[in-house]
């Protein structure tokens, strides 16, 4: 079974990077392009300027669905990431380019009906051939959705993984059931806080590197809630509140006068009587996820607080 334009596919890499174009890829990006991408090596091999280059659009996790719209003979596919809404770019989802080797036709990756819906709750995990056996797929990220392939055994759980005929295994403690009810904002905040000190990478959506809207998208994804990928779309998809009504887990949005929203943070404390505020965010300036009081220059561009 082969990929076909107009048909869905799923990501078979632990983390697949969505690119602006195949021509934009740099020599330093090689570890991110293999069928088993090595995102840790890719990020550690870049300098701070390369980590914020504009060739990366987003990242997709193992099993994430895409719509294939074009196939090139040089091994690239143009896709729409249907689980990452991006209304201003494409009503179907976030468009961009992926290596064909990181994709599998959706029909070939569909698990048997009736399996329990699970999600990776560890910051980073790995899929093993057998319980406590050899690693088959390292770098599986928080928020990755999987289907159970049977009951747990000796603290390990078998799961279906795209591209693997036999079940693979994760520590049962690294998995959680996807909840039936929406999470509380404080539950989502607690997940986001586990990503504190992760490095800032433009377009990143993983525990190896992440950007401001990726942090929000991934924290809610952990609970099965699909938020748009970019900050301005996240603002459009959430409910505005009066400034001063925010509570931990709500969202701060920032924009310069006359410009679109360019930054987002997660509220970590109720505002003080003197107007002081705190947030958790992937900070471009400090190049990592931090929790801090809003400095004056941030407060000057604060344009709204919203609730999911």
């Amino acid at each position: 079974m082969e990929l076909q334009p107009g048909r869905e596919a799923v990501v078979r890499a632990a983390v697949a990077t969505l690119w602006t174009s195949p021509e934009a890829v740099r020599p330093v990006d090689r570890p991110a392009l293999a069928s088993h991408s090595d995102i840790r090596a890719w990020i550690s091999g870049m300098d701070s300027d390369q980590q914020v280059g504009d060739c990366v659009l987003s990242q997709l996790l193992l099993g994430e669905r895409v719509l294939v719209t074009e196939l090139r003979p040089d091994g690239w596919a143009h896709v729409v990431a249907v689980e990452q809404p991006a209304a201003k770019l494409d009503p179907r989802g976030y468009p961009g380019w992926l290596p064909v080797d990181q994709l599998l036709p959706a029909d070939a990756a569909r698990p048997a009906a009736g399996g329990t819906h699970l999600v990776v709750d560890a910051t980073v995990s790995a899929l093993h051939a057998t319980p406590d056996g050899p690693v088959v797929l390292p770098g599986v990220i928080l928020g990755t959705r999987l289907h159970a392939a049977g009951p747990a055994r000796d603290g390990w759980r078998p799961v279906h993984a795209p591209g693997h005929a036999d079940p693979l295994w994760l520590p049962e403690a690294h998995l959680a059931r996807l909840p039936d009810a929406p999470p509380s904002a404080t539950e989502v905040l607690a997940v986001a806080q586990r990503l504190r000190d992760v490095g800032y990478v433009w377009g990143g959506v993983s525990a190896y590197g992440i950007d401001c809207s990726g942090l929000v998208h991934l924290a809610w994804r952990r609970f099965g809630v699909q938020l748009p990928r970019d900050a301005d779309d996240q603002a459009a998809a959430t409910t505005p509140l009066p400034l001063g009504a925010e509570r931990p887990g709500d969202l701060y949005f920032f924009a310069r006068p006359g410009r679109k929203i360019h930054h987002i943070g997660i509220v970590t404390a109720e505002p003080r009587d003197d107007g002081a505020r705190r947030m958790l965010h992937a900070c471009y300036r400090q190049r990592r996820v931090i929790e801090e009081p809003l400095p004056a220059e941030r407060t000057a561009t604060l344009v709204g607080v919203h609730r999911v």
Side-chain angles (χ1 to χ4, degrees), residues 106-215:
D107 289 343
R110 191 162 286 126
T116 302
H117 294 273
L118 303 172
V119 62
V120 174
D121 191 43
T123 308
V124 179
S125 189
L127 293 170
H128 297 247
T130 58
D132 204 21
V135 171
V136 175
L137 191 61
V140 177
I141 296 298
L142 172 78
T144 299
R145 293 185 292 275
L146 298 164
H147 283 80
R153 191 172 84 200
D154 298 327
W156 291 76
R157 189 74 185 260
V159 296
H160 297 288
H164 299 272
D166 296 326
L168 299 179
W169 297 77
L170 282 84
E172 188 177 21
H174 290 190
L175 293 164
R177 293 179 71 111
L178 272 177
D180 296 325
S184 68
T186 52
E187 287 178 308
V188 178
L189 174 59
V191 167
Q193 286 174 325
R194 288 161 49 193
L195 297 169
R196 193 187 310 235
D197 292 324
V198 169
Y200 186 101
V201 173
W202 182 268
V205 188
S206 88
Y208 294 123
I210 204 160
D211 66 14
C212 64
S213 54
L215 176 66

Side-chain angles (χ1 to χ4, degrees), residues 22-248:
E23 291 72 28
V25 173
R26 308 155 296 183
V28 74
D29 300 322
R30 185 175 300 276
L33 304 178
S35 56
H36 291 320
S37 59
D38 190 340
I39 301 302
R40 176 185 293 182
W42 173 56
I43 291 174
S44 65
M46 290 190 286
D47 62 34
S48 58
D49 290 334
Q50 290 169 327
Q51 289 177 353
V52 296
D54 57 4
C55 56
V56 174
L57 294 169
S58 187
Q59 290 183 310
L60 289 71
L61 305 187
L62 177 69
E64 190 165 342
R65 295 182 301 113
V66 301
L67 174 66
V68 178
T69 58
E70 181 184 343
L71 293 171
R72 287 189 7 173
D74 60 355
W76 285 88
H78 188 267
V79 304
V80 174
V82 298
E83 298 181 50
Q84 298 191 22
K88 67 182 183 299
L89 299 174
D90 190 315
R92 299 171 297 180
Y94 214 115
W97 292 88
L98 291 175
V100 167
D101 287 348
Q102 295 181 348
L103 296 171
L104 191 70
D107 289 343
R110 191 162 286 126
T116 302
H117 294 273
L118 303 172
V119 62
V120 174
D121 191 43
T123 308
V124 179
S125 189
L127 293 170
H128 297 247
T130 58
D132 204 21
V135 171
V136 175
L137 191 61
V140 177
I141 296 298
L142 172 78
T144 299
R145 293 185 292 275
L146 298 164
H147 283 80
R153 191 172 84 200
D154 298 327
W156 291 76
R157 189 74 185 260
V159 296
H160 297 288
H164 299 272
D166 296 326
L168 299 179
W169 297 77
L170 282 84
E172 188 177 21
H174 290 190
L175 293 164
R177 293 179 71 111
L178 272 177
D180 296 325
S184 68
T186 52
E187 287 178 308
V188 178
L189 174 59
V191 167
Q193 286 174 325
R194 288 161 49 193
L195 297 169
R196 193 187 310 235
D197 292 324
V198 169
Y200 186 101
V201 173
W202 182 268
V205 188
S206 88
Y208 294 123
I210 204 160
D211 66 14
C212 64
S213 54
L215 176 66
V216 173
H217 175 86
L218 187 61
W220 283 92
R221 179 193 181 106
R222 155 62 184 85
F223 296 94
V225 177
Q226 187 180 92
L227 284 186
R229 174 60 182 86
D230 289 344
D232 53 345
D233 289 326
Q234 289 171 346
T238 51
T239 303
L241 302 171
L243 203 61
E246 63 264 34
R247 298 293 180 266

